[in-house]
Amino acid sequence: MIYYFFALVTAAFILLMNNPRSEMNRWAAFFLSAAAIGGLTDVLIRYGYDDWANIEQLLNHTLSPYGILIFSVVYSELVPGKRARLYLKLALLVIPAWMMLSTPIKPEIRLDYRFLLGWAAPYYLAACLLLIVSLWKETNRRKRRNRFIATLIIVPTILAVLLLINVAAVVAPELDAFRYVSLFIIYSLSVALICTFIYGVLGVRLRFEKDPLEGTMKAVSSGAVQLNHSIKNEIGKIAISSDNLKRELAERSPDSLSHLAIITSASDHMLGMVNRIHSQMRDIVLSEKPFKLDQLVQSSLAKHKGLFEQKEIRVRGDYACSPTVIGDPVHFAEALGNVLVNAAEAVETGGVIHISLEREKKSVQLRIKDNGRGIAADQLERIFEPFFSTKNRSSNFGLGLSYVYNVMKKSGGSVDVMSRENEGTTVIFHFAAKSIRFG
């Protein structure tokens, strides 16, 4: 059983160290730690620490169902709002806390297994149901694959624990449940280990290569610089030759001037296009300073007021906090503007764009949600790729969200996009905790 303890604690440590600011990872680590302490019982009893063995048994039986249920609530993203999740966590803690406080542990532990089964079974089943429902509702192909893997890892073992430990403790107390449960634990850890190498599980991926999108961004940025330099040189030659021809043909062939004007106009248009591409894909150098995030959002909305009024778009704001961000306000304003324009173009006349600022422990999230046409599932996973666009317009280069990705990546944060066809799109800016100041 000691191997069982170390295996689960190691998994909890990896998850926590991979991203300690992730609420999902913290609750996964909490559940794994609560489950792991069950492996210490025999060791503690063997060395005469019976009282400690009683305590760890109580903690194992009460905190494991609570931990997996709260993890499933967070991971499924089916309970929106930080405050709603907080109230739910407190409400669900009442029963396990009561059992911990009311269960005698001296001279020996006297667990009421019937009472335990009465509340732990709904907790375990609700956790499994949340994972399955979140998998069923997910439309993003990459996220759906990850949810499928998580469900495959967690659900069979949770049901086995419920049946072989909780149910068996009531109907067949003489059963050596751990012998059978350990097989499911080995199954879960094996699948998790394999999938961390291949796909990544709960944000953890054991690999040697960097994020392929990051490599793509660097390659495109380098290519855009070279393309910009080359085309500018060639257009410069065209401009000089055009000026020389104008002077020579002004008197001898006035009609030729109209053709030269076309050449000049086309050259200027090409130069403008290249400059726009380069401005979006150049290697971003941040000039960081403090700025009020809510004020910058309001300023960006004011800049796009004409576009909103033209389409009769209603903009709703919900600013639950007013943080100061240490970052580059110019680049972030440009990134936010790209998202606002995308949202405005996606909604029909009279549509709604909802903007919210929500505090998340030491950090903050900025959400821009529209009720537009949404993005197809097969397109959603490609939206950050340079030159990929869901719009069929020659004036669109598919660089807006690539630029947003670059700005947030350089700033130490990240950006997520959630969307369903005909239901709308939500863009979430996640700011690094180190760059946020409150008060």
Side-chain angles (χ1 to χ4, degrees), residues 28-49:
F30 175 88
F31 162 67
L32 289 170
S33 300
I37 59 178
L40 293 177
T41 303
D42 289 347
V43 176
L44 293 172
I45 293 176
R46 185 184 310 149
Y47 288 97
Y49 296 103

Side-chain angles (χ1 to χ4, degrees), residues 19 80 90 130 146 150 161-162 199 217 232 308 323 435:
N19 188 0
L90 294 174
L130 284 169
N146 291 342
V161 168
L162 172 60
Y199 301 114
M217 292 292 185
K232 275 188 173 181
F308 299 146
S435 67

Side-chain angles (χ1 to χ4, degrees), residues 7 177 358 381:
E358 181 179 341
E381 59 187 19

Side-chain angles (χ1 to χ4, degrees), residues 2-55:
I2 194 65
Y3 299 110
Y4 157 76
F5 168 78
F6 282 115
L8 293 183
V9 167
T10 300
F13 179 80
I14 292 173
L15 281 171
L16 196 58
M17 291 300 101
N18 181 70
N19 188 0
R21 291 195 295 269
S22 167
E23 184 182 13
M24 176 187 68
N25 284 30
R26 290 196 300 270
W27 279 106
F30 175 88
F31 162 67
L32 289 170
S33 300
I37 59 178
L40 293 177
T41 303
D42 289 347
V43 176
L44 293 172
I45 293 176
R46 185 184 310 149
Y47 288 97
Y49 296 103
D50 290 9
D51 291 343
W52 285 106
N54 293 339
I55 292 173

Side-chain angles (χ1 to χ4, degrees), residues 72 79-80 136 199 247 250 268 302 304 357 384:
S72 299
V79 180
W136 176 66
Y199 301 114
R247 285 192 294 270
D268 290 342
H304 296 88
L357 275 174
F384 292 122

Side-chain angles (χ1 to χ4, degrees), residues 227-242 263 267 270-271:
L227 179 64
N228 183 69
H229 179 72
S230 298
I231 293 182
K232 275 188 173 181
N233 286 343
E234 298 307 313
I235 291 177
K237 297 176 185 177
I238 294 173
I240 293 173
S241 298
S242 296
I263 294 174
S267 300
M270 289 174 61
L271 184 60

Side-chain angles (χ1 to χ4, degrees), residues 222-281:
S222 176
V225 171
Q226 296 177 19
L227 179 64
N228 183 69
H229 179 72
S230 298
I231 293 182
K232 275 188 173 181
N233 286 343
E234 298 307 313
I235 291 177
K237 297 176 185 177
I238 294 173
I240 293 173
S241 298
S242 296
D243 287 338
N244 292 335
L245 284 173
K246 281 181 183 178
R247 285 192 294 270
E248 292 182 12
L249 298 176
E251 296 180 357
R252 289 183 293 173
S253 181
D255 292 339
S256 298
L257 295 179
S258 61
H259 297 291
L260 287 174
I262 294 174
I263 294 174
T264 301
S265 176
S267 300
D268 290 342
H269 179 67
M270 289 174 61
L271 184 60
M273 288 178 60
V274 172
N275 283 333
R276 285 177 59 191
I277 293 174
H278 179 58
S279 68
Q280 296 288 308
M281 290 308 302

